[in-house]
Amino acid sequence: MKKTICIILIVAFAALFCTSAYFIFDHYRQDKQQAELYDSLAEMVDSAAETEEEPTEPILYTEEKTVLPELAELYQQNSDLAGWIHIEDTNINYPVMHTPDNPDFYLKHGFDKEYSDYGYPYVQENCDV
């Protein structure tokens, strides 16, 4: 009887350990994936900004919405793009999103609009872009 209880406990703790290990590894995998996505978007904006030799006028997409030329490619990928935030001498270099119809959408979604635990910086619903 005592041996059976020990075996059951060992199996239960092994299952708990494996489940915990899976969630830890999945967290680090998602973290690496999100960091790569941020880096690729930042490289895209930086390369577009470097190719501009002289300042150009913002691109007019609609009558009330203009987009800077270095953000045009990102805006074509996701029209929820509201701007870009970059602070020198820090790791802050991210796109800022805005969805007036669903204000907290980017709390749990990435730039590609897929679910993400990390989310994306976004403009609060009561702010005017």
Side-chain angles (χ1 to χ4, degrees):
M1 183 70 175
K2 200 174 194 181
K3 189 175 185 179
T4 307
I5 292 174
C6 287
I7 291 174
I8 291 172
L9 286 175
I10 289 173
V11 169
F13 286 130
L16 180 65
F17 175 78
C18 290
T19 304
S20 299
Y22 167 77
F23 283 112
I24 289 170
F25 288 124
D26 186 54
H27 172 76
Y28 284 111
R29 181 190 58 79
Q30 287 180 9
D31 184 40
K32 183 179 178 185
Q33 198 174 37
Q34 194 68 27
E36 289 172 357
L37 180 60
Y38 279 133
D39 290 342
S40 69
L41 293 175
E43 285 176 17
M44 194 180 305
V45 170
D46 290 341
S47 67
E50 288 174 0
T51 57
E52 295 290 324
E53 294 178 5
E54 59 185 58
T56 58
E57 290 297 314
I59 298 170
L60 186 66
Y61 277 97
T62 63
E63 293 204 16
E64 61 275 337
K65 199 172 206 179
T66 59
V67 178
L68 296 173
E70 58 266 14
L71 299 179
E73 188 175 345
L74 291 180
Y75 184 81
Q76 290 173 352
Q77 292 179 17
N78 187 340
S79 61
D80 293 340
L81 181 70
W84 193 273
I85 184 168
H86 175 74
I87 300 175
E88 292 294 326
D89 299 327
T90 67
N91 291 333
I92 298 174
N93 193 13
Y94 305 119
V96 178
M97 312 307 285
H98 181 63
T99 52
D101 300 334
N102 189 359
D104 292 331
F105 180 78
Y106 285 100
L107 183 64
K108 290 289 185 177
H109 290 83
F111 185 80
D112 55 0
K113 297 185 179 181
E114 296 294 323
Y115 179 83
S116 170
D117 285 332
Y118 294 93
Y120 251 67
Y122 63 96
V123 178
Q124 192 173 344
E125 71 178 301
N126 61 351
C127 294
D128 183 19
V129 179

